[in-house]
Amino acid sequence: MKKTKHPLSPELMLSQLAYTYQCHPLQLNCEKVIRDLFRENPPQELAAAIDQFCIAALTEGYAWRQGSPANALHLSKNIELLIEIAYLLHRKNDTTKVSNKIPRQIKLPSCLLPMPLNAAEYGQPQIFLSFFFTYQSLLQWKQLLACFTEHALGSGSVAEELPGPELLNFNGCLKKLVYAIHRISTVSAEQK
């Protein structure tokens, strides 16, 4: 007998948010989640940790050097939280019209340099969120993260399973996502 696939509701894939905050993800205060995430890992540190995570996943043999393997697993969970909160923010702002204009005055804090976002994405981070979930779906991002996590903690290289462009895009997109989410949180704090 052939099994039929049932499409998953994206809300069912927000498992890390549900587990961490012990409530339905759609009832979460996104700003609190972002504050919690960046309190533990400032944007620059999280972006650097993503680099180390990807390097460990790409290297043949066990290569995680930032403490115990539990640190890599914890980082993976934080990246998953980042992706899930990005999905909620994207979904919330998906109906909002994004302007094509680049703001004239953008004050970039020097503590955020180097900045991977371009001027338009920094001015309107929803532009990047839209690209992020157009490039890969929530499920695809989570599958890529699971693959990278397995290889960061194991002895094989993720390069054996994924094509080269995927490897680079995974790292680059995640680092840009860190700054886009941070920018969304600072913009919403400024508007209050």
Side-chain angles (χ1 to χ4, degrees), residues 24 33 37 42 64 69 100 117 147 151 185 191:
H24 194 283
V33 175
L37 182 66
W64 181 255
N100 290 334
L117 299 175
C147 187
H151 288 87
S185 72
Q191 292 175 347

Side-chain angles (χ1 to χ4, degrees), residues 9-191:
S9 168
E11 291 82 22
L12 296 177
M13 289 184 270
L14 302 175
S15 57
Q16 197 57 239
L17 284 170
Y19 175 75
T20 303
Y21 289 92
Q22 299 294 305
C23 69
H24 194 283
L26 297 180
Q27 296 172 342
L28 280 172
N29 177 350
C30 293
E31 292 171 20
K32 179 188 178 339
V33 175
I34 295 169
R35 274 193 315 269
D36 291 349
L37 182 66
F38 289 125
R39 187 177 310 119
E40 183 180 340
N41 305 292
Q44 306 85 334
E45 289 179 20
L46 186 54
I50 288 170
D51 279 338
Q52 295 302 317
F53 181 76
C54 290
I55 289 168
L58 282 164
T59 306
E60 281 289 334
Y62 181 76
W64 181 255
R65 303 286 180 246
Q66 285 66 40
S68 76
N71 292 349
L73 191 55
H74 183 71
L75 176 59
S76 174
K77 288 180 180 186
N78 281 342
I79 294 169
E80 189 172 1
L81 276 175
L82 182 75
I83 293 169
E84 289 179 6
I85 199 67
Y87 177 78
L88 285 178
L89 291 169
H90 168 66
R91 208 179 118 186
K92 181 173 141 182
N93 293 325
D94 197 29
T95 57
T96 308
K97 184 79 172 166
V98 176
S99 169
N100 290 334
K101 287 185 177 180
I102 298 174
R104 289 186 180 263
Q105 293 284 4
I106 296 178
K107 294 181 181 179
L108 181 61
S110 62
C111 65
L112 293 178
L113 295 174
M115 171 61 65
L117 299 175
N118 63 37
E121 293 166 342
Y122 185 80
Q124 295 182 39
Q126 294 81 7
I127 292 172
F128 180 72
L129 291 184
S130 180
F131 164 78
F132 188 80
F133 289 106
T134 302
Y135 179 69
Q136 301 277 5
S137 69
L138 175 61
L139 178 60
Q140 290 167 324
W141 281 115
K142 291 182 82 148
Q143 288 170 337
L144 283 171
L145 178 60
C147 187
F148 269 80
T149 302
E150 178 183 325
H151 288 87
L153 294 170
S155 60
S157 171
V158 73
E160 297 169 356
E161 290 188 39
L162 298 173
E166 285 299 318
L167 302 173
L168 292 174
N169 288 336
F170 179 80
N171 180 287
C173 286
L174 282 182
K175 289 193 302 186
K176 285 181 90 168
L177 185 64
V178 167
Y179 285 92
I181 296 299
H182 184 265
R183 178 67 178 149
I184 287 171
S185 72
T186 58
V187 167
S188 69
E190 290 168 2
Q191 292 175 347

